[in-house]
């Protein structure tokens, strides 16, 4: 989980470690990466960023959201409350798989 990901936006490059990412929001080929240091906006596809993130810690809960399970505060049937206060929707299609993966992550003790 310590591998550095390099993000590029216009002429600026930023390095971020996956463990610093709370969640990723995607819309219209734009991504907003929410981190402990602030938000980073880049052009890209959700599928592309998901391949860079460790599957053991990240789960796709919606077409537009991928979350770091370390930062999930609580879960309902239709949403996740993140430790930074954000409430993210869980899509009907991804609900079963996302919740199963999250519960297994919690059983293993996270991290």
């Amino acid at each position: 989980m310590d591998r550095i990901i390099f993000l590029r936006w216009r002429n600026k490059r930023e390095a971020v470690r996956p463990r610093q990412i709370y969640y990723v929001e995607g819309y219209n080929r734009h991504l907003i990466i929410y981190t402990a240091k602030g938000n980073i906006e880049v052009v890209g596809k959700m599928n592309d960023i998901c391949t860079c993130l460790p599957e053991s810690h990240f789960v796709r809960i919606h077409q537009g959201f991928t979350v770091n399970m370390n930062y999930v505060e609580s879960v309902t049937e239709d949403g996740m409350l993140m430790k930074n206060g954000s409430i993210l929707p869980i899509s009907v299609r991804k609900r079963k798989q996302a919740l199963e993966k999250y519960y297994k992550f919690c059983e293993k003790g996270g991290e």
Side-chain angles (χ1 to χ4, degrees), residues 10-103:
R10 299 189 178 151
N11 61 352
K12 183 178 175 184
R13 291 180 188 257
E14 290 203 41
V16 66
R17 294 185 186 281
R19 70 171 174 235
Q20 296 172 316
I21 298 173
Y22 295 142
Y23 64 95
V24 179
E25 179 180 1
Y27 63 95
N28 297 333
R29 295 185 54 93
H30 282 82
L31 301 172
I32 302 173
I33 295 102
Y34 294 84
T35 72
K37 295 180 182 179
N39 303 341
I40 303 166
E41 188 173 339
V42 297
V43 174
K45 295 186 225 173
M46 184 66 78
N47 287 338
D48 295 340
I49 191 82
C50 287
T51 59
C52 299
L53 300 172
E55 279 188 41
S56 59
H57 288 75
F58 286 83
V59 62
R60 185 115 179 236
I61 62 168
H62 189 278
Q63 182 178 352
F65 293 100
T66 298
V67 301
N68 184 338
M69 293 182 279
N70 284 315
Y71 294 106
V72 175
E73 183 73 32
S74 63
V75 176
T76 65
E77 284 298 311
D78 58 351
M80 285 190 168
L81 172 63
M82 304 302 290
K83 289 183 179 177
N84 70 349
S86 301
I87 300 172
L88 307 177
I90 301 174
S91 73
V92 174
R93 270 199 243 149
K94 297 191 182 291
R95 180 177 299 143
K96 183 179 177 186
Q97 180 185 5
L99 292 178
E100 284 175 2
K101 187 171 180 180
Y102 176 68
Y103 295 142

